[in-house]
Amino acid sequence: MLTMLRKELRVLLADRGAMITLFLSPIMFITVMSLALGSSFAHLGTAGKLGVCVVDLDGGTAARALAGALSGTGGLRVDGCTEAQSQERVKAGTDVFAVVIPAGFGQRIAQGAAPSVRYLVDPSAARQVVDPLEAAVTGVVLAVGAETRTGAALDRLDTVAAAQSDPALRSAVAAEVAGLSRAARTVDATTALPSGSTAVKYPTVYQQNVPGYAVMYVFFIVTVMAASILAERREGTFRRLLSTPMPRWQLLLGKVAPYLVVALVQVAVLLAFGRLVFGMALGRHPLALLPLSIALACCACAIGLLLASFSRTEAQVNGLGTVVVLVLAALGGCMVPGVFMPRFMQTIAGYVPQGIALNGYQDVLVRDGGLRAVLPASGVLLAVAAGLFLLAVPRFRFLR
Amino acid sequence: MTSADADVAAIQRAEEAPGREPPAPVLRADALRKRFGDRTVVDGISLRVAVGEIVGFLGPNGAGKSTSIAMFTGALRPDAGTVHVAGVDLSAQPRRAKGLIGIVPQEIALYPSLSARQNLRFFAGAYRLPARLSRERIAWALDVVDLADRADERVSSYSGGMQRRVNIAAALLHRPRLLFLDEPTVGVDAHSRDQIFAAVLRLRAELGMSVVYTSHYLPEVERLCDRFVVVDAGRVLAEGTRSELLRPLGEGLLEWSPSAEELALLPGGVQGLAARLARFGAVEVLPPPAGGGPDSLRLRAVRMADALREVAQIAADHAIGLGGIRLGRPDLESVFLHLTGRPAGDGA
């Protein structure tokens, strides 16, 4: 076994093409895609708050109250700007959204009419981001409008009460007005998660791309491993080894185990790269990454063995392998985060090994999950690996 | 000493003991059969190889030769039949039996990105040689194939002949009693071929190693082997020494292709000639060549001198020339052609 392991690692290290595919290529992808997609991930509110600019063309008390209320809304970075600036900022993607408060905003409210505002929206922003944002801003506008009107009504009531000669009546009305005024401004609400759920957080661009491309490129071991098995068949080294005292099971295990090691090294290198170069957070329980990575490596090697069992030529290996790697990576959300995908694609991602693994990594990296959090994903990946091994081994041929 | 060495030593002691039986064959394969789907590839092949014997195992492409070798060496399990290596049952004690076998596959079964030494170290590990013995054996094997000075270069940088020699060295590390050489000289120059022959003869002389040798190039097989086995369609067609195989072909070969004008002068034409020459050996009437022309005649003569006298008499009697006559001596190529109907160049 050790003999096979040493030989296989030597052969792999001497194969520059494989080294580039397994290590250099994902590092390049992580770097380039993180730089390219950094601003898109800012929209997820993780690399900073969502940018909203407010154009106040009214300048009255109600308009200032609206701007203030928006600034006080969690998750928003609110800047005041001119109408021309708002066009530029939304077009450039600096802000997702602009709220234009037209002249006469306060007057309309005072007259009892519905408050009127205009929104300017970044056309490239995801609907999943814009729609809730628009609803939230509209809610704030409604609240400010209602508060302004209620405040004015209470002021009038206060004046009427002050004019009363009965001190008891005056005092009772003042207490009701104060209570109503407080009630209009506050909501007694608490936030909770379903039992067993961890806090929902969105990944940073690095917490998406580093594990995403690590998972995607671990599966490139599928083609490297299957091609290596076919080369052993073609070049007669298996034939030679079958004639040595080495048992077949040892030969097979000796062919698979080195790729398990390589896949684990690959994940370690890429996570270390993310941590050291981009300062990516590894969560509070980084050791939980180990069982998940072992399960992921087993799954990739099982697919590699299956591919080698069913392929006769290297062209088949490359064709099928590329489909497995790229299509499943895309379905699993390794290239595009699940939050940007439609609902049915998100559902599919939950059934694809790459998606299961990526979610497991993000449980640890983003949501601070520990061993318990990754057990389900690791278990599923190991079960898939076991199933594929059972399918591959009876079909495996050492000879052409 | 490895378990393989211990086996070899035990067998050698048994062979050298006074009053011993004749040495058991180092390979005894009996009635091997193998089917792939509906196709029977090997259909009852048996083979014996004596200690120190070099056997040519010949057959055209698809004859079942490679499948047989895979079964002799334990790379493939037969559907029926048994293989014993130096008395050890290959199916019952595969690890022990395989320790007595070396195989040089037709392919360059090496890792091209590794050096010759790294390759040999790996295969020594596969035979479970301890580190120190492994170093000694690698040095010895490199010396046998005359590559000690280039051992640390990548195999991919070697010439075809050098790669073939490392391919052989990898099969020698555990000093097998029986070595299978499958087309070991394909694509090599004359110098490398001579070096490979020298290595094989040295192994027999120094270690008493037995060899099963296949090759397309029959002159080299004739030069090297003591005995030959010709297989086709999964069966043994003939086996024996060179002279045993040549005997049915007679002392010589006479082919006579008279012109149409000459045939017109001969009573009975080609059939008449065949009848007059039949008492000197086996006569065949051959159909006209593809370009057209009359039939011709081939005689495998048992009494060549008498046959030639008869031919001269016929020519004189009917005033025809001897220009259409070709004479030849039978060789292994003739045997191969006679048995399989195909020249060895099509894939021996």
Side-chain angles (χ1 to χ4, degrees), chain A residues 9-156:
Chain A
L9 291 177
R10 267 204 187 110
V11 170
L12 197 59
L13 283 172
D15 183 350
R16 286 188 192 152
M19 286 294 104
I20 288 171
T21 301
L22 297 178
F23 290 96
L24 191 58
S25 186
I27 285 175
M28 299 294 288
F29 259 94
I30 287 167
T31 306
V32 172
M33 298 307 280
S34 297
L35 293 174
L37 295 175
S39 61
S40 300
F41 276 76
H43 294 170
L44 294 177
T46 52
K49 295 179 174 183
L50 282 176
V52 174
C53 61
V54 176
V55 182
D56 184 0
L57 300 178
D58 179 85
T61 312
R64 284 198 303 277
L66 174 58
L70 287 172
S71 297
T73 303
L76 296 186
R77 174 179 45 76
V78 178
D79 293 321
C81 58
T82 65
E83 197 160 10
Q85 285 171 332
S86 73
Q87 291 279 346
E88 289 303 313
R89 291 174 68 121
V90 170
K91 203 180 287 178
T94 314
D95 292 332
V96 191
F97 205 80
V99 182
V100 180
I101 307 172
F105 173 79
Q107 197 179 354
R108 279 177 64 84
I109 293 174
Q111 289 168 352
S116 161
V117 286
R118 279 186 286 123
Y119 300 139
L120 196 62
V121 178
D122 177 1
S124 68
R127 296 301 306 170
Q128 291 95 325
V129 174
V130 172
D131 288 349
L133 181 60
E134 188 176 325
V137 170
T138 302
V140 172
V141 172
L142 284 172
V144 167
E147 188 183 319
T148 305
R149 277 199 306 276
T150 310
L154 290 175
D155 285 347
R156 281 196 299 275

Side-chain angles (χ1 to χ4, degrees), chain A residues 1-16 228 231-251 255 398-400, chain B residues 66-67 69-70 73-77 94-96 98-99 101 103-114 118 121-123 125-128 154 166-168 170-171 182:
Chain A
M1 270 290 290
L2 277 178
T3 306
M4 283 290 287
L5 185 73
R6 266 202 305 270
K7 181 272 294 177
E8 203 62 39
L9 291 177
R10 267 204 187 110
V11 170
L12 197 59
L13 283 172
D15 183 350
R16 286 188 192 152
S228 161
E232 298 246 21
R233 257 186 224 148
R234 186 189 62 239
E235 288 165 15
T237 39
F238 270 157
R239 176 181 288 267
R240 190 195 279 281
L241 288 168
L242 285 176
S243 300
T244 69
M246 191 183 284
R248 281 165 197 253
W249 67 265
Q250 225 175 69
L251 192 52
K255 196 66 201 171
F398 285 102
L399 302 176
R400 270 194 288 182
Chain B
S66 294
T67 306
I69 289 182
T73 56
L76 196 63
R77 293 188 183 99
R95 292 172 76 166
R96 193 164 163 227
K98 285 176 178 182
I101 296 170
I103 168 90
V104 181
Q106 188 171 344
E107 305 89 351
I108 305 288
L110 301 168
Y111 300 97
S113 57
L114 304 185
Q118 286 170 329
R121 199 175 293 144
F122 167 64
F123 288 113
Y127 283 103
R128 294 181 166 74
R154 277 185 171 208
V166 183
N167 208 26
I168 293 173
D182 193 1

Side-chain angles (χ1 to χ4, degrees), chain A residues 157-178:
Chain A
L157 192 59
D158 212 16
T159 308
V160 171
Q164 299 300 315
S165 53
D166 182 354
L169 177 63
R170 215 170 44 232
S171 167
V173 170
E176 284 300 319
V177 167

Side-chain angles (χ1 to χ4, degrees), chain A residues 222-277:
Chain A
V222 166
T223 48
V224 176
M225 180 180 157
S228 161
I229 289 172
L230 259 68
E232 298 246 21
R233 257 186 224 148
R234 186 189 62 239
E235 288 165 15
T237 39
F238 270 157
R239 176 181 288 267
R240 190 195 279 281
L241 288 168
L242 285 176
S243 300
T244 69
M246 191 183 284
R248 281 165 197 253
W249 67 265
Q250 225 175 69
L251 192 52
L252 186 61
L253 202 59
K255 196 66 201 171
V256 175
Y259 291 93
L260 277 172
V261 174
V262 170
L264 287 174
V265 171
Q266 203 186 358
V267 172
V269 166
L270 295 178
L271 290 178
F273 175 78
R275 175 76 190 139
L276 298 175
V277 177

Side-chain angles (χ1 to χ4, degrees), chain B residues 117 120 134-144 148 173:
Chain B
R117 195 183 302 281
L120 296 182
S134 165
R135 279 194 296 277
E136 287 171 17
R137 291 291 176 82
I138 289 169
W140 167 77
L142 286 167
D143 179 56
V144 169
L173 299 164

Side-chain angles (χ1 to χ4, degrees), chain A residues 254-334:
Chain A
K255 196 66 201 171
V256 175
Y259 291 93
L260 277 172
V261 174
V262 170
L264 287 174
V265 171
Q266 203 186 358
V267 172
V269 166
L270 295 178
L271 290 178
F273 175 78
R275 175 76 190 139
L276 298 175
V277 177
F278 296 119
M280 179 188 75
L282 292 178
R284 278 191 290 167
H285 307 284
L287 273 181
L289 295 168
L290 187 63
L292 182 65
S293 301
I294 291 172
L296 172 69
C298 286
C299 191
C301 288
I303 295 178
L305 195 66
L306 189 70
L307 187 61
S309 297
F310 283 87
S311 302
R312 291 187 173 272
T313 65
E314 290 193 52
Q316 284 176 341
V317 162
N318 289 329
L320 282 170
T322 306
V323 168
V324 167
V325 170
L326 295 181
V327 174
L328 292 186
L331 288 174
C334 294

